């Protein structure tokens, strides 16, 4: 019973920190070849490379990338993973997460995973609104994709921005495989 009270307090504190803000996740997609076990192979107990494209707040890109990867830590559902823009030798080179901030509406997973992600088009945030497309890639194939957005954030240290990145990260790695005919 005590744990429920503590959990309720933590949730209320998180909601209060975000004010009236809401993280909206939409468009979670999964390729037919995605298998939840593949995330464990790619990232379980090791580094997983993160490519950050765009910066809705302007300013120092390296500091923004640190804020993004910090918000991703601990949000993978079943594996201890270190999300890193400069991964160590434990990282499996064919796997990465690409986080595209304020992308065009027509951006899809496979396009994000092909070519040079930093050359993808992005826009400055309107006011302080932030949109995100997050894609889990194997080589040039998008395995899973999540779209999310928030109405406003003061900067990369704003709790609602961290929650957008964290919830998107969690949704990017579903524990279930896609159902196929005959399942």
């Amino acid at each position: 019973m005590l744990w429920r009270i503590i959990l309720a307090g933590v949730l209320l504190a998180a909601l209060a920190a975000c004010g009236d803000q809401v993280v909206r996740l939409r468009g979670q997609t999964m390729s037919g070849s995605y298998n939840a076990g593949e995330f464990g192979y790619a990232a379980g107990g090791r580094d997983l490379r993160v490519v950050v494209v765009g910066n809705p707040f302007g300013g120092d890109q390296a500091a923004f990338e640190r804020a993004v990867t910090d918000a991703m830590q601990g949000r993978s559902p079943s594996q201890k993973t270190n999300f890193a823009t400069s991964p160590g030798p434990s990282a499996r080179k064919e796997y990465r997460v690409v986080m595209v901030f304020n992308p065009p509406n027509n951006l899809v997973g496979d396009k994000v995973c092909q070519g040079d992600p930093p050359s993808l088009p992005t826009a400055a945030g309107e006011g302080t609104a932030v949109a995100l497309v997050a894609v889990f890639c194997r080589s040039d194939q998008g395995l899973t994709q999540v779209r999310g957005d928030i109405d406003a954030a003061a900067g990369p240290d704003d709790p609602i921005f961290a929650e957008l990145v964290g919830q998107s990260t969690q949704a990017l790695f579903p524990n279930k495989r896609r159902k196929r005919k005959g399942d």
Side-chain angles (χ1 to χ4, degrees):
M1 186 66 164
L2 179 60
W3 66 271
R4 287 183 183 179
I5 295 170
I6 293 170
L7 179 61
V10 169
L11 289 173
L12 286 174
L15 290 173
C18 296
D20 292 334
Q21 284 277 3
V22 176
V23 172
R24 291 175 298 273
L25 296 182
R26 42 183 138 232
Q28 181 184 25
T29 58
M30 197 180 331
S31 83
S33 65
Y34 175 76
N35 182 319
E38 189 167 14
F39 173 68
Y41 170 77
R46 64 182 65 243
D47 289 354
L48 179 61
R49 183 166 64 108
V50 177
V51 178
V52 178
V53 182
N55 181 342
F57 307 110
D60 181 25
Q61 185 67 21
F64 178 69
E65 290 175 2
R66 273 191 306 279
V68 171
T69 55
D70 286 352
M72 295 173 77
Q73 305 304 332
R75 297 304 286 258
S76 54
S78 60
Q79 299 290 327
K80 182 178 179 188
T81 301
N82 181 44
F83 296 97
T85 56
S86 297
S90 71
R92 297 196 188 274
K93 295 187 183 335
E94 67 271 23
Y95 293 95
R96 68 192 175 286
V97 172
V98 181
M99 307 288 270
V100 185
F101 290 90
N102 293 344
N105 288 332
N106 63 350
L107 191 64
V108 293
D110 283 345
K111 184 174 182 179
V112 171
C113 297
Q114 296 168 354
D116 184 18
S119 68
L120 293 169
T122 61
E126 291 186 26
T128 53
V130 178
L132 169 63
V133 169
V135 184
F136 176 43
C137 303
R138 179 194 332 115
S139 299
D140 63 354
Q141 180 185 16
L143 296 174
T144 61
Q145 174 181 311
V146 175
R147 288 184 169 274
D149 64 83
I150 54 176
D151 291 330
D157 296 328
D158 191 322
I160 191 66
F161 175 76
E163 194 59 23
L164 168 66
V165 173
Q167 284 187 30
S168 297
T169 301
Q170 191 168 1
L172 201 55
F173 307 111
N175 284 327
K176 298 177 185 171
R177 70 177 175 87
R178 185 179 194 149
K179 287 191 176 191
R180 295 184 175 94
K181 289 182 180 179
D183 280 355

